[in-house]
């Protein structure tokens, strides 16, 4: 890669990881549409670390309270709202873990085509729009239940298909359950921590087995750019969410989906 590709892809990863428009689709598309060479495993690890650092730093106070409360519940000191939320994040991660272990190779083989990405972009974009316009917003984050967490967790498992958007489908599920926009988004972001951590560890193990990148400077730079863009994205998304809603992201997904269909059938 050259430096333009490094910065472009790192910005793309950081921004799309937490917006409801699918980061995996946007990282696949440059090689599919622009003919760029694959960015490499080391770069993937770097931008995942950057995204993980951003969400941990942004939610550091919430995470610390949840960790302290979780260890307290494990040691028998009783349950609290924070410990329940920590347990729900853990349980919500299980469906994606199972799906990734059992279906990961199948998805990698058949799910990375432009046609699949176009279809999931359109279908789940429409579902996001429906969930947003029909939302009731009667429940806050503290009112989430284990049943809710598992439902959102199963939705997160579907996001293994490129183009679905992990944040998009989990926020959609939260809105369908009656969560407020802010509550659905915050739980989605907290759920991303074990998922991004797991993906980064798996890619890191693959990297340890297959060798290292020649240009570690680019990998480190990509990680920093991804962290900064992801942090900014989380902050602005939560700040503007109640004002703009999901419609701008739905419109973007519709346009992107139809463009991808045009590229596929005209190729």
């Amino acid at each position: 890669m050259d430096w333009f590709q490094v910065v472009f892809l790192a910005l793309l990863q950081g921004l799309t990881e937490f917006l409801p428009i699918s980061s995996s689709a946007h990282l696949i598309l440059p090689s599919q549409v622009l003919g760029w060479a694959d960015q490499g495993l080391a770069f993937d690890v770097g931008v995942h670390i950057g995204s993980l650092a951003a969400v941990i730093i942004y939610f550091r106070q919430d995470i610390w309270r949840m960790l302290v409360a979780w260890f307290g519940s494990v040691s028998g000191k009783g349950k609290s709202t924070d410990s329940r939320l920590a347990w729900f994040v853990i349980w919500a991660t299980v469906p994606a873990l199972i799906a990734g272990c059992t279906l990961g190779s199948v998805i990698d083989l058949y799910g990375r085509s432009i046609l699949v990405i176009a279809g999931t972009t359109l279908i789940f974009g429409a579902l996001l729009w429906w969930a947003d316009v029909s939302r009731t917003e009667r429940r806050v984050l503290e009112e989430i239940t284990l049943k809710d967490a598992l439902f959102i967790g199963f939705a997160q498992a579907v996001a293994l298909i490129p183009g679905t958007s992990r944040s998009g489908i989990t926020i959609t599920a939260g809105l369908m359950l009656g969560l407020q926009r802010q509550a659905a988004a915050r739980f989605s972001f907290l759920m991303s921590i074990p998922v991004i951590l797991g993906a980064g560890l798996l890619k890191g193990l693959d990297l340890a087995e297959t060798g290292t990148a020649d240009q570690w400077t680019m990998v480190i730079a990509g990680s920093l750019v991804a962290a900064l863009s992801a942090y900014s994205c989380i902050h602005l998304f939560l700040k503007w969410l109640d004002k703009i809603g999901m419609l701008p992201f739905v419109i973007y997904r519709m346009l992107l989906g139809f463009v991808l269909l045009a590229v596929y059938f005209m190729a």
Side-chain angles (χ1 to χ4, degrees):
M1 295 188 296
D2 57 34
W3 278 105
F4 174 78
Q5 289 173 267
V6 169
V7 175
F8 180 83
L9 290 174
L11 282 172
L12 201 61
Q13 161 68 21
L15 292 173
T16 59
E17 181 68 46
F18 300 105
L19 292 180
I21 55 177
S22 178
S23 62
S24 59
H26 283 78
L27 288 178
I28 291 169
L29 289 177
S31 62
Q32 296 274 350
V33 177
L34 302 176
W36 287 1
D38 185 88
Q39 58 266 26
L41 191 57
F43 187 81
D44 281 350
V45 174
V47 294
H48 273 83
I49 291 173
S51 298
L52 179 64
V55 71
I56 289 176
I57 292 172
Y58 191 87
F59 290 103
R60 60 191 180 278
Q61 294 180 346
D62 301 86
I63 294 169
W64 177 251
R65 289 198 308 271
M66 289 166 61
L67 281 174
V68 171
W70 183 81
F71 280 112
S73 70
V74 171
S75 61
K77 295 182 179 179
K79 294 182 179 181
S80 65
T81 300
D82 288 323
S83 67
R84 288 175 61 251
L85 187 58
W87 277 112
F88 292 161
V89 169
I90 294 171
W91 282 113
T93 306
V94 174
L97 178 64
I98 296 173
C101 292
T102 57
L103 301 174
S105 59
V106 176
I107 293 172
D108 285 340
L109 184 61
Y110 298 106
R112 299 174 71 87
S113 73
I114 291 181
L115 186 60
V116 170
I117 294 171
T120 51
T121 297
L122 292 170
I123 292 169
F124 291 106
L127 186 61
L128 175 62
W129 172 81
W130 175 82
D132 194 45
V133 297
S134 62
R135 72 192 186 280
T136 58
E137 289 197 313
R138 64 183 183 274
R139 301 167 63 201
V140 296
L141 184 59
E142 289 74 18
E143 295 175 317
I144 196 170
T145 66
L146 177 58
K147 184 179 178 180
D148 299 329
L150 290 174
F151 180 78
I152 301 173
F154 279 108
Q156 181 171 246
V158 178
L160 291 172
I161 305 172
T164 301
S165 172
R166 192 210 61 80
S167 62
I169 197 169
T170 52
I171 291 173
T172 296
L175 293 174
M176 291 170 64
L177 292 168
L179 292 177
Q180 296 176 357
R181 281 174 174 164
Q182 288 286 336
R186 293 182 77 88
F187 190 67
S188 171
F189 294 157
L190 290 171
M191 284 174 62
S192 73
I193 295 173
V195 171
I196 298 174
L197 178 61
L201 288 174
L202 287 176
K203 288 179 180 291
L205 291 174
D206 290 340
L207 182 62
E209 293 178 357
T210 59
T212 58
D214 293 328
Q215 296 179 310
W216 277 105
T217 302
M218 288 187 172
V219 174
I220 295 171
S223 177
L224 292 174
V225 172
L228 291 172
S229 62
Y231 186 93
S232 301
C233 175
I234 295 169
H235 175 73
L236 294 175
F237 182 76
L238 291 175
K239 180 180 179 181
W240 294 340
L241 180 57
D242 290 328
K243 296 179 181 178
I244 65 175
M246 295 297 170
L247 185 58
F249 307 107
V250 172
I251 293 174
Y252 175 82
R253 290 183 69 128
M254 295 297 108
L255 292 174
L256 177 61
F258 285 119
V259 168
L260 291 175
L261 287 176
V263 170
Y264 178 82
F265 286 109
M266 293 174 63

